[in-house]
Each structure stands twice: as structure tokens, then as C-alpha cells.
Amino acid sequence: MSALLEVQDLRVTIGSTAAVRGASLAVNKGETHCLVGESGCGKSITALSVMGLLPRGAKRETTALRFAGEEIGHFGEREMSRLRGDRMAMIFQEPMTSLNPAYTVGSQMTEVLRRHRGTPRAQAVDRAAELLARVGITAPGLRLGQYPHQLSGGLRQRVMIAMALMCDPELLIADEPTTALDVTVQAQILRLLATLQKDLGLGILLITHDLGIVARVADRVSVMYAGEVVESAPTATLFAAPEHPYTRGLLSCVPVPGKVKRDEPLGSIPGVVPRMRPGFTGCGFRDRCGQASPACEGTLPRQQAGPDHELLCTLAPGWHGRNAA
Amino acid sequence: MSGAAAIEVRGLRREFRVRQGMFAAPKRVIAVDDVSFSVPAGSVLGVVGESGCGKSTLARLILGLLEPSAGDVLVDGQRLGGMDRRARARLIQPVFQDPFASLNPKRRVRDIVAMPLIAQGTIGTAEIARRVAEALERVGLSPDQGGRFPAQLSGGQRQRVAIARALVLRPRIVVCDEPTSALDVSVQAQILNLLAELRRDLGLTYLFISHNLAVVEHIASEVAVMYLGRIVERAESERLFAAPRHPYTRALLASVLTPEPGLGVPDVGLGDIMPDPANIPPGCRFHPRCPVAVAKCSTETPRPASDAAGLVECHLA
């Protein structure tokens, strides 16, 4: 089966930082692929690379970047801007900064359709109202005439989602779409995304730092650390049998009600996410890893830890079981 | 009884006047509405609720950074109103959410931590240096890091600086307002472990404010749930998480996404009406969003009911 989005060996350098150091991932049609990691691990840069939205001065290299079977790695700004907002759309963390405060919701939503499809205004307005209703906004007619500041955070994010759907995209990239929202609203927005995906057959690349979100919405998970995908597996596999020391550490850090007793320490990973210089080789996690060995400074083997379960580590799959014994 | 309470709050109320447009008459916003509770020494009261529920206003009232419109705050048995600022600083200290905003970027770490000691005006230079070094060590920072500027530290290290500054006067109470919300998960765990250890070793009392219920469950001995300025439920942590009584508490708990695959995203059942502190609904303030509201919820204000299990404010509980 050919993937909707396929990224192979992506490398991005921004100034003196190697932000992405050989990341590969694929998103299938109708699938939610979560890219999870801490701040500075390169997950947002990966998303921006796919959309062709990297900051000026960033250098991108890939061996393949395919969208719906077509190589788009060599596309210029003109060709990318034709794809963006049309066949691939993106929503961001803070809807207030990605909506233009000076224009009404209606004029921003219809602009997408008029620009990409040349749809007449009246028809575009109908489509906008229809989508606002689709994302659970009551009184869409009223909302179309309002400005972003008149909406609550949850409503703004719904507007962003509706706007992203204006041209019926095949791929939706969502970068921390619920991080700025209250937990109650977060649950509502994630449910909405899940429903839309089922109904529209969207492929979703969801970027988050929250393992709770990953567990609940992802079909597949890729864990990123220091610019590399260190582990990738179907969601159930990753949570049941994590292999990479970083994945295992990250999972032990999350407080789960009823799991760790109060006042018993949570698991934690010492140190901080490092900044990678170009030319850095080997595992970016080795300074924080309890299992590091001299082999971690060389080229890391890409291993199969199980069916569809990839691991980038010098340790053999199953190492933790043997250590515990 | 009152001798054992580190923090006691009686009938606390705070109003703000907010202009909503150039010509509109200012509106009254009641951010904290008749709140009473007490926190025994050595325990942790977690305060949870959505943004705008008044939890940060409550923190600032207890820190004495805001004057209450009505009611009293007693810290260690003494009324906060009229207390000398320096005396207050020796009793109660804050740790805020954003260690980027709460530390002066132009001062070295050791000067930031020394500031509360200098402000006391009675402590000698040598003693200050000694206590700063002790505080830095206590939170896991090296003497070398004491000579750096905040911009040279990571988010987690900066939060350690903020904690060292809060501890340097050896207060009895620390008010933590979202202390880990700006941090990565692995760093959040380091800071939570540090706070728990400090509480045990130094016998501190925490008021711990967070929107993250899993974090609160981990650190708090008692939890208060706030909704539009009122505490709608309060109970011992285990009990609240095992058997929530208020429908709002149940919705909040339902929306916690634990890392358990296969469970999907729950329907929290709150609808899309958002709470507006400038427009508090009549009757029970939660009724427009409540999935189990009955007719009297929209007309009759529920009274807080206290029993051995805690406090709940709901007609149906």
C-alpha cells in the first residue's frame, strides 16, 4: 500500500543547529500518526518541512518526500502554495496567533476556497457555514461575521479546523492543536478530530508532547529525540512493549492517577534535551541514558523489534527484560 | 484546631471591575466568591479548575499580593491584612508558572536567590552568601550555576532557581501556581519529585494550583475543585479521584487522558457553552453545562454541604 505522506531520511539544519537528523515516517490515508517528543526534539520542524514552511535560512535534505505518490521534495514555493491549504492543511497550537485579528472569521475562511478554487463568494460563504456547523459550532451564520477575539479558545480552534477543511484536504497536520486549551475543551476537540477523520478519510499527522493524547488518538506513534525518530510502532505495541530507553523513561515520567503512590517519586530522565551541532554523530540520548556504551557514539543500527516496530538503538530488543532479571 | 492550620481562609471574596468596550459601564467580575477552607500544616491542598475559575486570584489573595474585597486570610494563625511585608515574606512564598518571566534576566542566579534575604535588611553579607549556597544546593543546582544568568539555564533549572528563591527565607508555606505547566514531561517529573522531597524534609505546606489533574493527584493530600469563583467540591485526594460527587468534578476527571491506548477520547458531556466570570448564571453556576441538571438547578443556588467526606455544592449530590 502506498502511503499518503512518505518522508525518508529528512535532514534539516538551521544555522548551527541540526534540528532534524535523518527522520523517516509515513502517514497512511485514514490514519492518525502521532509524532511525540519534548520541546526542541525537531517535531515541529519536521511538520514545517513537509509543508514547505521552514524559516528562511533553513536547509532541508531528503532522499524522498512523497505526497499521494508524487515526489514533492523539489517543489518550489509556487507549487507548494498550490498544495498548501488545498490538498494538505495545517493547524497550529495557538489559534489566536494563526488567525488574522483584523478580518472576520467568514472572510478568512472563504479566502482559502476563493484562492484555490476560484469559488464565487456566496458559494464559499455557504461552504464556510456548513463546515462551522460540522465542527460543532452553533449559530454559524453569527460566527462568520465575528472577529477572532470575540471567540473563546475552544471556538477559535474549531474555526481553525473548519478552515483547514475548506478544500477537502487529504492530509491534515496538527501541531499541538490542544496544548493551549483547558482539559475539558481538549477532549472535545480531539473527539471532533477523530470523528472528522473517520467521516472524511483524512490522514492526520498529529504532533504532541502529551503521551495521554497519543495513547488515546494515534494509530501509529513515532517517538522523536534530538532530531531522530528513535522508535516507531503501532500505538498498542509502543505502550505495551516500549524498547528505546528514552521511550521507557518518558512513559515513567507521566503521573497516572492511581498508578504511582503519592510521595513516591515519579520516574524521571536526568539532564535536558541537548542542542545538536551539525556533524554530531551517534545517539543524541546517550548523555542522559542509563544504558549508554561506547557503541552509542557510532552509527546506530535500525532494528526491527517486532512486526512493524522499528527501533534506533544499539541495545537489542528485549534488553530491559534481561536486565531486570 | 486553628493552631494546626497553616492557611485558613474565611468568606474570601474578590471583585474586579472590568470595562468591556469604550462606552459600556464597567462590569463587576467576582473572581473569588465566598471561599472558606483551611489547610493543616504539612499537607498539600491542590486547587483545580479551568482557566478563569479564579484559582490564580485565590493564590494571589493568599500571598497577600491582592487585597480581598471581603473576608480574611490567616497564615499560621495571623491575619494577613496589615501584616508587615517582610514578616509575610518569612511565612509564605510563591513559585509561579513561567520561570522565564519570574526571574530578572539581568541578574545572576545567586543575586536572584539572595534578593529576599537582602530585602529583610537585617542579615549580614556572609550569612546571605551562606544561605544562598545552601538553598542552591537544596534544589540541586551547582555553585557554578549560581554565577550564571537565567538565559543560560534550561526551563527546569530556572524553575529550580525560583524554588531556591522561595525557600531561602525558610518559609512555612509555599504557594505553587502551575509550577510545572511550562515544562517538558521529563523535567516536570524532576520538579515534582523535588517539591515532594522538600515538603517532606522541611515540613512545608503547599497550596498547589494546577489545571493538570494527574499532577495534582500525585502531589496533593486534599483537592479543591473551583468553578467560576467557588469551591464546588473539596475532599481528600484519594476519595475525590475514586468517588467524585460533583458533576463538574466528574467531567474534569473524565477529560484526563491517561496514557492507556484503546480507550479513545471520552465524551465529557459539557456542551460548548463556556463559563464567563462576568456573566455568572443564576441558580447553580454550573447548570448550563451540567449533563444532569434538573429544573431547580437553574433557579435555586445550592448550599455547600459539609460532611466527613468533604464538601460538595450540588442539589443532586
Side-chain angles (χ1 to χ4, degrees):
Chain A
M1 186 171 95
S2 89
L4 176 63
L5 174 74
E6 211 182 334
V7 182
Q8 264 174 36
D9 201 25
L10 173 73
R11 287 166 195 280
V12 181
T13 314
I14 304 171
S16 62
T17 307
V20 183
R21 307 187 298 129
S24 301
L25 58 95
V27 183
N28 291 318
K29 197 170 158 22
E31 177 191 75
T32 299
H33 190 138
C34 273
L35 198 53
V36 64
E38 297 178 279
S39 47
C41 72
K43 53 193 195 302
S44 290
I45 295 292
T46 303
L48 294 174
S49 303
V50 172
M51 296 293 286
L53 290 173
L54 284 174
R56 217 177 283 269
K59 267 177 46 198
R60 181 186 79 182
E61 288 170 46
T62 55
T63 51
L65 177 56
R66 276 190 286 271
F67 175 66
E70 187 186 4
E71 175 63 42
I72 61 168
H74 59 279
F75 274 19
E77 176 52 29
R78 264 183 99 90
E79 289 155 300
M80 279 313 295
S81 74
R82 219 170 303 156
L83 273 180
R84 268 198 310 259
D86 188 1
R87 297 180 62 199
M88 48 165 80
M90 186 159 178
I91 51 178
F92 296 91
Q93 174 175 345
E94 200 6 281
M96 196 60 211
T97 53
S98 29
L99 288 168
N100 189 329
Y103 291 90
T104 61
V105 166
S107 84
Q108 295 184 59
M109 286 187 71
T110 52
E111 186 199 343
V112 189
L113 205 55
R114 299 178 70 190
R115 188 191 135 120
H116 284 290
R117 302 282 162 83
T119 311
R121 200 184 132 70
Q123 242 174 293
V125 171
D126 287 348
R127 169 86 178 143
E130 177 199 323
L131 278 171
L132 286 183
R134 184 78 191 71
V135 298
I137 292 180
T138 45
L142 167 79
R143 300 301 182 191
L144 283 175
Q146 287 185 323
Y147 291 88
H149 75 266
Q150 294 171 294
L151 310 176
S152 70
L155 275 182
R156 275 181 220 139
Q157 200 54 290
R158 282 173 202 261
V159 167
M160 282 300 298
I161 294 170
M163 196 185 301
L165 296 176
M166 281 299 275
C167 292
D168 269 324
E170 293 148 71
L171 174 71
L172 180 68
I173 299 183
D175 188 356
E176 304 267 11
T178 59
T179 306
L181 306 175
D182 274 315
V183 279
T184 49
V185 183
Q186 161 170 292
Q188 292 174 334
I189 297 287
L190 291 174
R191 268 179 82 81
L192 170 67
L193 280 175
T195 320
L196 289 171
Q197 169 177 55
K198 228 191 297 151
D199 297 354
L200 308 173
L202 278 171
I204 298 183
L205 178 63
L206 182 82
I207 292 165
T208 180
H209 67 279
D210 186 333
L211 287 160
I213 294 180
V214 175
R216 302 304 189 93
V217 306
D219 296 305
R220 186 175 183 85
V221 191
S222 290
V223 181
M224 257 190 117
Y225 189 81
E228 287 177 311
V229 174
V230 294
E231 186 165 9
S232 178
T235 309
T237 310
L238 189 101
F239 282 88
E243 286 290 345
H244 198 282
Y246 176 64
T247 314
R248 299 180 67 84
L250 206 53
L251 282 168
S252 74
C253 289
V254 185
V256 180
K259 203 170 136 197
V260 182
K261 279 222 183 72
R262 180 151 27 91
D263 272 5
E264 264 176 33
L266 290 165
S268 64
I269 307 176
V272 292
V273 180
R275 221 177 109 208
M276 294 290 136
R277 308 261 166 212
F280 181 93
T281 56
C283 179
F285 187 59
R286 64 180 185 244
D287 289 342
R288 298 176 78 187
C289 181
Q291 310 293 325
S293 70
C296 302
E297 289 167 37
T299 307
L300 302 172
R302 195 167 290 278
Q303 312 181 59
Q304 285 293 327
D308 218 14
H309 184 172
E310 276 182 33
L311 173 68
L312 187 69
C313 185
T314 56
L315 296 163
W319 60 273
H320 39 88
R322 287 190 291 281
N323 269 19
Chain B
M1 179 67 204
S2 70
I7 306 172
E8 195 176 347
V9 161
R10 294 189 200 136
L12 195 62
R13 179 185 173 90
R14 172 70 203 205
E15 295 179 15
F16 294 100
R17 293 178 98 64
V18 178
R19 278 196 178 276
Q20 296 189 321
M22 212 180 293
F23 303 108
K27 270 199 130 168
R28 256 183 5 158
V29 173
I30 303 167
V32 171
D33 188 2
D34 193 14
V35 164
S36 304
F37 61 81
S38 75
V39 187
S43 66
V44 181
L45 176 68
V47 180
V48 297
E50 293 165 292
S51 41
C53 73
K55 54 191 194 303
S56 288
T57 303
L58 180 66
R60 295 173 63 195
L61 287 166
I62 289 172
L63 282 164
L65 299 175
L66 273 178
E67 288 287 316
S69 308
D72 272 326
V73 179
L74 282 83
V75 175
D76 211 16
Q78 306 164 57
R79 281 196 52 192
L80 204 60
M83 192 190 288
D84 174 56
R85 273 174 62 189
R86 279 172 293 229
R88 196 175 72 207
R90 288 193 298 268
L91 265 181
I92 186 164
Q93 283 284 332
V95 174
F96 293 111
Q97 171 173 358
D98 189 351
F100 295 78
S102 64
L103 303 179
N104 186 338
K106 292 191 174 169
R107 284 185 179 274
R108 292 181 194 278
V109 165
R110 69 168 87 87
D111 300 331
I112 292 173
V113 176
M115 198 52 108
L117 295 168
I118 297 167
Q120 289 291 319
T122 52
I123 307 167
T125 325
E127 173 71 0
I128 288 176
R130 199 183 60 74
R131 284 177 64 175
V132 168
E134 178 192 291
L136 289 178
E137 196 194 334
R138 193 69 253 205
V139 301
L141 291 172
S142 65
D144 166 54
Q145 284 164 325
R148 304 219 190 135
F149 291 97
Q152 296 169 298
L153 302 176
S154 70
Q157 288 164 342
R158 270 182 262 213
Q159 202 56 298
R160 286 176 197 267
V161 175
I163 294 171
R165 176 176 60 184
L167 293 180
V168 77
L169 283 174
R170 301 180 186 139
R172 306 228 12 242
I173 301 149
V174 179
V175 175
C176 308
D177 190 356
E178 303 269 9
T180 62
S181 305
L183 306 174
D184 276 316
V185 223
S186 69
V187 182
Q188 163 176 293
Q190 294 169 9
I191 297 295
L192 287 176
N193 288 344
L194 173 66
L195 285 171
E197 184 193 311
L198 291 170
R199 189 193 64 74
R200 262 196 319 272
D201 295 357
L202 307 175
L204 296 170
T205 305
Y206 291 155
L207 184 77
F208 192 97
I209 293 174
S210 179
H211 69 279
N212 187 329
L213 275 88
V215 165
V216 168
E217 196 259 0
H218 183 70
I219 198 159
S221 38
E222 204 186 2
V223 180
V225 180
M226 276 188 91
Y227 190 78
L228 283 179
R230 286 192 65 84
I231 292 179
V232 295
E233 182 166 5
R234 198 182 76 229
E236 196 191 310
S237 187
E238 279 89 2
R239 198 188 286 265
L240 187 104
F241 280 82
R245 296 198 284 173
H246 197 284
Y248 179 62
T249 312
R250 287 201 291 271
L252 272 185
L253 291 185
S255 54
V256 177
L257 302 178
T258 51
E260 297 167 285
L263 294 183
V265 184
D267 180 3
V268 292
L270 287 184
D272 61 355
I273 305 160
M274 292 314 289
D276 175 6
N279 231 328
I280 290 176
C284 168
R285 54 195 66 205
F286 181 58
H287 86 266
R289 297 172 80 197
C290 183
V292 294
V294 295
K296 81 168 176 185
C297 298
S298 56
T299 51
E300 237 175 88
T301 308
R303 299 302 311 156
S306 281
D307 57 24
L311 169 147
V312 65
E313 198 173 271
C314 175
H315 288 307
L316 303 167

